[in-house]
Amino acid sequence: MTVQPLANGFCFGEGVRWFEGLVWFSDMLGEAVHTVTLQGEMSTLPLPGHAPSGLGFRPDGTLLIVSTERRQILAYDGESVSLVADLGDLVPAGLGDMVVDGDGRAYVGAQAREGGVIVRLDRNNQATVVAEDLSFPNGMVITPDGTFVVAESTGRRLSAYSVDDAGALHHRRVFAAGLDGPPDGLAVDADGGVWTAMTLSHRFDRITAEGVTDRIEMGDRTAIACALGGPEDRALFLLSATDAYPDRLVGTTLSTLDVIGVDIPAP
């Protein structure tokens, strides 16, 4: 299959997720969260004053939203947006991507180029630093066997952790190193393969412990984020932009959401 366009006309897409028959993603510079149907119909949740990035759904359907520069976590219950946590005192830099586990615990990266951290937000909204000394932590996934994988963009690697029953991260190790460019957003499939947005290499790679198994070329477009979903969980949704640096895209509407079919479904 080939890459098919699904939606466009937004500034800088991040944090793409599939939930309840819709594609959800942040427009960081457009200060909004969008939803898109499989027919390409878009709806918008405005978030003035915020630069949303990572998204994640708790088991009760609450959408958690990362507010990057305010270093906050917001919640959207389908009607209103509220503040659930201010992480400003815990983190050394603005926030980025997020993953939510099956128990509703959210993991959020603080994107320092050196000395980045990951914060865990528990169901009671208590926040704890669970990983340190990361090189710009970006996309994060939890594989079917419970391995936590994070993209370290400036380190050009994927790092892995074991997760204990309390949600703590242990035994840091390399999942993939020496990547061709800075990795950004991640998605995981049922076999534990990690689809990785290879920003400056203009492609999405499926990476396993053995190396790259699949590749989707994006021409001259910058790969930003991806998610698996769709009716049979075999649709890979792809966010791309015309530049890897958001500051250069302020005021533009050149980002796109595309979709392609893949063989291995979401977990």
Side-chain angles (χ1 to χ4, degrees), residues 17-86:
R17 297 288 182 264
W18 170 260
F19 184 71
E20 292 190 341
L22 295 171
V23 185
W24 301 67
F25 64 93
S26 294
D27 185 351
M28 191 165 68
L29 300 180
E31 298 186 338
V33 169
H34 301 296
T35 61
V36 179
T37 70
L38 292 177
Q39 292 72 44
E41 299 168 346
M42 183 184 292
S43 299
T44 299
L45 170 67
L47 292 170
H50 295 279
S53 183
L55 302 179
F57 290 90
R58 282 182 161 166
D60 64 359
T62 298
L63 172 63
L64 297 181
I65 306 167
V66 170
S67 179
T68 58
E69 297 306 320
R70 292 193 180 188
R71 307 183 186 188
Q72 296 173 339
I73 308 299
L74 311 175
Y76 176 61
D77 62 4
E79 295 183 0
S80 61
V81 176
S82 60
L83 172 67
V84 296
D86 190 320

Side-chain angles (χ1 to χ4, degrees), residues 3-264:
V3 174
Q4 301 291 330
L6 191 59
N8 56 32
F10 51 94
C11 191
F12 191 80
E14 268 285 9
V16 60
R17 297 288 182 264
W18 170 260
F19 184 71
E20 292 190 341
L22 295 171
V23 185
W24 301 67
F25 64 93
S26 294
D27 185 351
M28 191 165 68
L29 300 180
E31 298 186 338
V33 169
H34 301 296
T35 61
V36 179
T37 70
L38 292 177
Q39 292 72 44
E41 299 168 346
M42 183 184 292
S43 299
T44 299
L45 170 67
L47 292 170
H50 295 279
S53 183
L55 302 179
F57 290 90
R58 282 182 161 166
D60 64 359
T62 298
L63 172 63
L64 297 181
I65 306 167
V66 170
S67 179
T68 58
E69 297 306 320
R70 292 193 180 188
R71 307 183 186 188
Q72 296 173 339
I73 308 299
L74 311 175
Y76 176 61
D77 62 4
E79 295 183 0
S80 61
V81 176
S82 60
L83 172 67
V84 296
D86 190 320
L87 306 184
D89 292 338
L90 287 178
V91 298
L95 305 179
D97 216 328
M98 170 196 290
V99 64
V100 178
D101 70 12
D103 293 323
R105 295 176 295 214
Y107 296 82
V108 186
Q111 295 181 321
R113 292 182 178 275
E114 298 295 337
V117 305
I118 296 173
V119 176
R120 187 190 70 235
L121 186 70
D122 292 328
R123 288 292 300 272
N124 63 3
N125 297 326
Q126 179 177 344
T128 306
V129 175
V130 291
E132 298 178 296
D133 299 322
L134 294 160
S135 299
F136 205 92
N138 215 321
M140 293 173 280
V141 293
I142 301 172
T143 69
D145 69 0
T147 301
F148 186 101
V149 180
V150 57
E152 294 188 69
S153 293
T154 54
R156 298 197 175 196
R157 62 180 171 263
L158 305 183
S159 292
Y161 293 85
S162 301
V163 187
D164 67 21
D165 291 342
L169 304 185
H170 302 283
H171 184 41
R172 180 178 178 179
R173 55 202 182 271
V174 173
F175 187 88
L179 301 180
D180 291 343
D184 196 337
L186 306 180
V188 67
D189 63 30
D191 287 352
V194 179
W195 282 101
T196 305
M198 298 294 297
T199 52
L200 301 180
S201 298
H202 308 288
R203 65 178 190 257
F204 292 86
D205 286 350
R206 181 182 182 270
I207 301 175
T208 70
E210 287 71 42
V212 176
T213 66
D214 298 89
R215 179 164 287 167
I216 299 169
E217 301 285 353
M218 297 299 291
D220 60 354
R221 297 192 63 80
T222 301
I224 302 296
C226 53
L228 279 164
E232 298 180 352
D233 286 329
R234 284 184 167 86
L236 184 65
F237 301 101
L238 311 170
L239 281 172
S240 65
T242 55
D243 200 301
Y245 300 95
D247 291 348
R248 299 176 184 172
L249 296 173
V250 174
T252 69
T253 54
L254 301 175
S255 291
T256 60
L257 174 67
D258 299 300
V259 62
I260 188 172
V262 295
D263 293 331
I264 303 172

